[in-house]
């Protein structure tokens, strides 16, 4: 992967990385060494990603395309579907359970508070999950398989303003995020 705004995801065995080019690289987590070419995404551009132990998904920032790969077998990505909001969104944060991937926030022509989800085992367009408590881009997302937390981020590019808010959602349900606390 080359460029900036790289997205990474993994299984228990392999780690994957993709950057602003369409190249996906992989490495084996239990060994030292460099990366190997995995394949290509269907589109190039900045991306964010998340995974379960089987599939990795890449949210393309230049378009609304979502690609996926099967982590255990190298090869080119396949179009999963489309994000459920406008193209040109950057700074999306993504997390996952074993069943669902969730993504939230981001920049486009406006700052988003939208949360979307998809089901790993199927393909199709992402669906509306609910909203974050505030609009923001470039936040960080983490999950433990049950809850996903979205923390921090930028609320405005000019003048630059940041937030310390942490939100959480229960990945298995849909609905708006709840305030978890502050960083």
């Amino acid at each position: 992967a080359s460029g900036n705004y790289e997205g990474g995801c993994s299984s228990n065995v392999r780690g994957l990385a993709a950057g602003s080019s369409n190249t996906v690289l992989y490495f084996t987590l239990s060994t030292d060494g460099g990366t190997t070419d995995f394949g290509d995404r269907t589109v190039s551009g900045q991306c964010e990603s998340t995974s379960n132990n089987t599939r990795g998904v890449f949210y393309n920032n230049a378009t609304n395309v979502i690609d996926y790969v099967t982590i255990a077998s190298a090869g080119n990505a396949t179009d999963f579907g489309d994000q459920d909001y406008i193209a040109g969104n950057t700074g999306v944060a993504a997390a996952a359970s074993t069943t669902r991937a969730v993504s939230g926030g981001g920049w486009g022509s406006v700052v988003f508070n939208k949360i979307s989800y998809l089901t790993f085992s199927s393909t199709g367009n992402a669906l509306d999950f609910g909203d974050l408590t505030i609009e923001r881009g470039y936040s960080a997302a983490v999950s433990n398989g049950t809850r996903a937390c979205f923390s921090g981020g930028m609320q405005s590019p000019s003048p630059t303003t940041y937030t310390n808010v942490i939100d959480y959602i229960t990945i298995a349900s849909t609905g708006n995020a709840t305030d978890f606390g502050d960083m």
Side-chain angles (χ1 to χ4, degrees), residues 103-130:
S103 62
W107 298 99
S109 55
V110 297
V111 182
F112 290 98
N113 68 338
K114 189 172 189 65
I115 306 168
S116 300
Y117 77 95
L118 56 84
T119 303
F120 280 114
S121 63
S122 63
T123 56
N125 295 338
L127 302 171
D128 182 41
F129 187 97

Side-chain angles (χ1 to χ4, degrees), residues 4-92:
N4 54 7
Y5 300 103
E6 292 188 14
C9 59
S10 70
S11 68
N12 293 335
V13 177
R14 280 185 171 171
L16 304 178
S20 55
S21 73
N22 69 335
T23 302
V24 179
L25 301 174
Y26 80 93
F27 55 94
T28 303
L29 296 171
S30 63
T31 63
D32 295 336
T35 58
T36 303
D37 184 40
F38 185 92
D40 293 331
R41 293 184 295 138
T42 64
V43 291
S44 60
Q46 300 169 359
C47 70
E48 283 82 19
S49 60
T50 192
S51 61
N52 64 10
N53 205 37
T54 304
R55 278 188 174 173
V57 293
F58 300 94
Y59 298 90
N60 184 276
N61 288 335
T63 67
N64 65 346
V65 171
I66 303 168
D67 285 341
Y68 78 93
V69 295
T70 301
I71 298 171
S73 58
N76 291 333
T78 303
D79 185 13
F80 189 98
D82 293 335
Q83 190 61 289
D84 69 333
Y85 45 88
I86 66 170
N89 193 22
T90 63
V92 174

Side-chain angles (χ1 to χ4, degrees), residues 91-174:
V92 174
S97 68
T98 58
T99 307
R100 280 184 171 175
V102 292
S103 62
W107 298 99
S109 55
V110 297
V111 182
F112 290 98
N113 68 338
K114 189 172 189 65
I115 306 168
S116 300
Y117 77 95
L118 56 84
T119 303
F120 280 114
S121 63
S122 63
T123 56
N125 295 338
L127 302 171
D128 182 41
F129 187 97
D131 293 328
L132 296 168
T133 61
I134 60 171
E135 297 166 340
R136 60 179 129 175
Y138 300 102
S139 63
V142 296
S143 64
N144 67 359
T146 303
R147 275 188 175 176
C149 292
F150 297 87
S151 60
M154 292 176 63
Q155 290 188 281
S156 172
S158 182
T160 303
T161 57
Y162 299 94
T163 180
N164 65 348
V165 171
I166 304 170
D167 291 343
Y168 78 91
I169 58 172
T170 301
I171 298 172
S173 64
T174 58

